[in-house]
Amino acid sequence: MGQIVEDRQKNSNLEETENSNSWYSKDKNKCLEMARGEFKGGNNIALKIPKFKYSETVHFYKEVIKLPYLGFMSESHAFQFGDATLWLDCMDNYSQQDVWLEIQTDNVKIAAEYLQENHINRRDEVEVHENSEGYWISDPCGTILRVNPRK
């Protein structure tokens, strides 16, 4: 979270308000309402697993580690992983595993403006989520993050 605050302070289009809880765009003269700590870790972690390693990986989490098994839903095996859900997704066209994370925010539209101003492009092509307010982004090294409304 410290990096987000540092990036905001470096951004010449934003200035801190008197109460230090929100940010205003100088160019648009409107409140972006991006409170410090606007983003938080979400409830979902997805492991995208190559098909040739999928059964072995499911066995590992289910029988070796013995995480609480939530069942097979949405074409994935789901496990309780602390306060989060760990989803094991079988990927036909992957050669190595990939980790996808979820972050949450109070206002996904304002967050999208903020992310765009910080040169973070949407990555909605990675997976379709119909009838959802959320969207996909990636960090600079390519980790996929799902931005969802805070629950």
Side-chain angles (χ1 to χ4, degrees):
M1 286 308 132
Q3 183 63 43
I4 291 174
V5 173
E6 288 174 27
D7 289 346
R8 287 182 188 160
Q9 291 170 344
K10 291 178 189 173
N11 189 327
S12 63
N13 291 331
L14 300 178
E15 67 181 44
E16 199 168 359
T17 63
E18 289 180 23
N19 66 10
S20 299
N21 286 328
S22 59
W23 297 80
Y24 286 83
S25 168
K26 292 178 187 176
D27 296 338
K28 298 177 187 173
N29 197 26
K30 72 174 191 174
C31 180
L32 294 180
E33 299 173 11
M34 292 298 295
R36 290 183 189 202
E38 172 69 19
F39 296 100
K40 74 168 198 138
N43 300 317
N44 296 290
I45 302 167
L47 293 184
K48 305 295 186 173
I49 303 163
K51 188 175 184 175
F52 76 97
K53 287 290 189 178
Y54 190 68
S55 294
E56 185 179 348
T57 304
V58 170
H59 174 80
F60 172 79
Y61 286 101
K62 193 173 187 180
E63 304 299 332
V64 178
I65 301 296
K66 298 185 180 190
L67 290 178
Y69 185 65
L70 302 176
F72 188 79
M73 54 191 101
S74 301
E75 300 182 32
S76 300
H77 289 278
F79 296 87
Q80 192 65 46
F81 194 79
D83 291 337
T85 300
L86 176 65
W87 298 90
L88 303 184
D89 299 343
C90 184
M91 306 304 293
D92 290 332
N93 57 350
Y94 277 40
S95 62
Q96 63 187 32
Q97 68 88 24
D98 201 4
V99 178
W100 292 16
L101 303 172
E102 176 192 28
I103 57 176
Q104 296 179 347
T105 184
D106 290 328
N107 188 317
V108 292
K109 290 180 183 174
I110 291 172
E113 291 176 20
Y114 170 77
L115 291 165
Q116 184 176 12
E117 287 177 1
N118 283 275
H119 311 289
I120 305 299
N121 295 319
R122 300 240 329 224
R123 297 288 313 277
D124 293 329
E125 76 280 2
V126 299
E127 190 172 284
V128 176
H129 261 261
E130 295 179 9
N131 301 318
S132 174
E133 291 183 63
Y135 47 88
W136 300 99
I137 62 170
S138 64
D139 69 15
C141 74
T143 305
I144 300 295
L145 296 108
R146 176 75 182 170
V147 180
N148 277 330
R150 191 178 312 243
K151 296 176 184 175

